């Protein structure tokens, strides 16, 4: 009898384990901004979607193998940093001096460990350096030459600054500077920053993570740092919530956007999707800013609201369904 009871329990555990498939999910973005269908050639669109798919696969493979969300978001962001089509790593926008100056951050929602770098210009994958700051230093955020000296000391790959440059971004800088000369006080166009990258994920342990990497805004000056590397502004992860943002960073910093979304969910009981929508569709434009976020909750539910005409984005949901999209309308 005892043996039968044991057998029954063992079977129940086995079938229970089968029913409770680990619920893993990942979402990524490649930046929000002004982007018209007319300006996007079919070839460019295909290449962008292929990069988004590769990034999704890189992150999702980690998750289905039982790896941590932290590894998944780093893997996804590295793919996008290495692509010249996004404003992060290779292909980053130029600052006013014609230099690519990059910011990145990564955060683990379970331990609340975080690492960030700002103003680096020789680090091939700024997200890897942010992770090293988190795991191998006593600090959360390092900037400029100091961040790079630390990176060298822990074996982070460095490249010549020319590695990051592209013709396309050079032209964008020239256009931005010509516009600024013509209208010195004009607002920055949203197209000045399209292309930041980010990822959020939920792993089989139920832990979340977020990562964001960017070249910031075209024609930025004086060591300007955006929201991406600021924990709580462009990047945040907590027990049941992770957020990565893209958009006009100054507004995201002032509204502590990523933290506000997770705090609304934790303290007010809003769903992460409701919180993300409220902050992105009301709070950010209410102050005069624009952009979007990707967010995930502790069940792997994904939200990707944005208030710009487009946001490069992709997802693999907890049920395995996947997609990539660019514009606001659904028929993509
Ligand atoms: N949020 C970034 C920044 O302000 C730019 C972007 O999202 O494209 O630096």
């Amino acid at each position: 009898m005892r043996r039968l009871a044991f057998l029954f329990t063992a079977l129940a555990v086995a079938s229970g384990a089968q029913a409770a498939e680990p619920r893993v999910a990942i979402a990524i973005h490649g930046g929000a901004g002004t982007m018209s269908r007319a300006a996007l050639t079919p070839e460019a669109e295909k290449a962008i979607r292929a990069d988004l798919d590769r990034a999704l696969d890189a992150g999702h493979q980690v998750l289905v193998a039982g790896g941590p969300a932290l590894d998944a978001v780093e893997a996804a962001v590295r793919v996008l940093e290495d692509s010249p089509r996004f404003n992060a790593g290779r292909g980053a926008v130029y600052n006013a001096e014609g230099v690519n100056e990059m910011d990145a951050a990564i955060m683990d929602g379970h331990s609340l460990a975080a690492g960030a770098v700002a103003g680096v210009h020789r680090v091939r994958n700024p997200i890897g350096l942010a992770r090293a700051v988190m795991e191998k230093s006593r600090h959360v955020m390092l900037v400029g030459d100091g961040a790079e000296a630390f990176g060298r000391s822990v074996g982070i790959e460095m490249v010549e600054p020319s590695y990051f440059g592209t013709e396309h971004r050079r032209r964008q800088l020239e256009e931005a500077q010509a516009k600024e000369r013509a209208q010195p006080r004009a607002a920055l166009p949203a197209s000045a920053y399209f292309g930041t990258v980010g990822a959020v994920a939920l792993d089989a342990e139920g832990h979340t993570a977020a990562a964001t990497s960017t070249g910031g805004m075209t024609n930025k000056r004086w060591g300007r740092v955006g929201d991406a590397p600021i924990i709580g502004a462009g990047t945040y992860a907590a027990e049941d919530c992770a957020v990565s943002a893209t958009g006009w960073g100054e507004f995201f910093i002032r509204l502590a956007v990523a933290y506000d979304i997770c705090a609304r969910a934790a303290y007010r009981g809003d769903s992460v999707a409701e919180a993300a929508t409220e902050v992105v569709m009301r709070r950010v434009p209410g102050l005069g800013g624009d952009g979007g976020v990707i967010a995930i909750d502790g069940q792997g539910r994904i939200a990707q609201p944005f208030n710009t005409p487009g946001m490069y984005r992709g997802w693999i949901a907890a049920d395995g369904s996947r997609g990539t999209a660019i514009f606001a309308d659904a028929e993509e």
Side-chain angles (χ1 to χ4, degrees):
M1 190 59 200
R2 190 176 285 171
R3 187 177 283 174
L4 264 183
F6 171 75
L7 187 65
F8 180 76
T9 317
L11 279 173
V13 168
S15 62
Q18 233 168 29
E21 273 282 301
R23 226 197 297 238
V24 303
I26 183 163
I28 59 172
H29 70 77
T34 301
M35 162 66 72
S36 73
R37 263 176 220 284
L40 189 64
T41 64
E43 298 76 48
E45 178 171 348
K46 207 168 146 205
I48 286 165
R49 285 184 190 261
D51 283 345
L52 292 173
D53 272 321
R54 281 194 306 116
L56 282 172
D57 288 336
H60 197 245
Q61 269 161 24
V62 171
L63 298 171
V64 293
L70 203 58
D71 288 357
V73 294
E74 182 184 347
V77 165
R78 276 176 179 270
V79 170
L80 299 173
E81 284 180 337
D82 287 345
S83 162
R85 281 174 273 275
F86 301 92
N87 173 20
R90 190 159 159 245
V93 299
Y94 287 102
N95 70 9
E97 283 80 46
V99 174
N100 307 105
E101 230 174 29
M102 291 157 288
D103 304 336
I106 190 162
M107 185 161 185
D108 174 25
H110 182 59
S111 62
L112 300 185
V117 293
V120 296
H121 60 277
R122 290 178 185 273
V123 180
R124 174 173 169 170
N125 291 105
I127 201 64
L129 181 56
R131 176 115 185 229
V133 171
M134 173 180 140
E135 291 177 339
K136 298 181 178 161
S137 85
R138 279 182 286 163
H139 307 297
V140 169
M141 188 179 209
L142 301 180
V143 305
D145 292 345
E148 294 188 351
F150 165 74
R152 276 192 202 93
S153 78
V154 294
I156 293 289
E157 184 179 352
M158 299 287 160
V159 289
E160 283 305 311
S162 59
Y163 162 83
F164 300 103
T166 61
E167 232 349 89
H168 166 64
R169 297 299 186 192
R170 174 73 60 188
R171 251 181 286 119
Q172 266 184 357
L173 174 65
E174 284 163 11
E175 277 165 29
Q177 292 184 331
K179 260 188 209 149
E180 196 179 281
R181 275 194 297 274
Q183 255 188 303
R185 296 171 68 89
L188 282 162
S191 57
Y193 48 77
F194 205 95
T196 286
V197 308
V200 293
L202 175 76
D203 65 26
E205 299 270 304
H207 299 159
T208 66
T212 314
S213 181
T214 187
M217 294 174 83
T218 301
N219 204 23
K220 64 184 182 179
R221 290 190 185 160
W222 308 302
R224 181 261 188 190
V225 174
D227 60 316
I230 308 235
I231 300 303
T235 307
Y236 197 74
E239 198 58 68
D240 289 317
C241 175
V243 178
S244 169
T246 169
W248 194 339
E250 278 68 11
F251 294 89
F252 284 66
I253 295 172
R254 289 164 64 196
L255 288 167
V257 161
Y259 181 74
D260 190 22
I261 292 169
C262 292
R264 282 165 184 263
Y267 304 145
R268 280 170 46 118
D270 296 357
S271 69
V272 168
E274 280 165 359
T277 303
E278 173 68 21
V279 172
V280 168
M281 305 312 278
R282 288 189 210 286
R283 303 271 299 152
V284 172
L287 211 58
D290 60 3
V293 303
I294 52 171
I296 198 164
D297 71 8
Q299 304 295 309
R301 287 179 294 231
I302 291 164
Q304 300 179 304
F306 54 97
N307 60 41
T308 45
M311 180 169 83
Y312 295 136
R313 58 202 189 278
W315 62 92
I316 302 181
D319 66 4
S321 60
R322 66 183 291 158
T324 59
I326 300 175
F327 298 101
D329 38 62
E331 99 289 348
E332 308 176 87

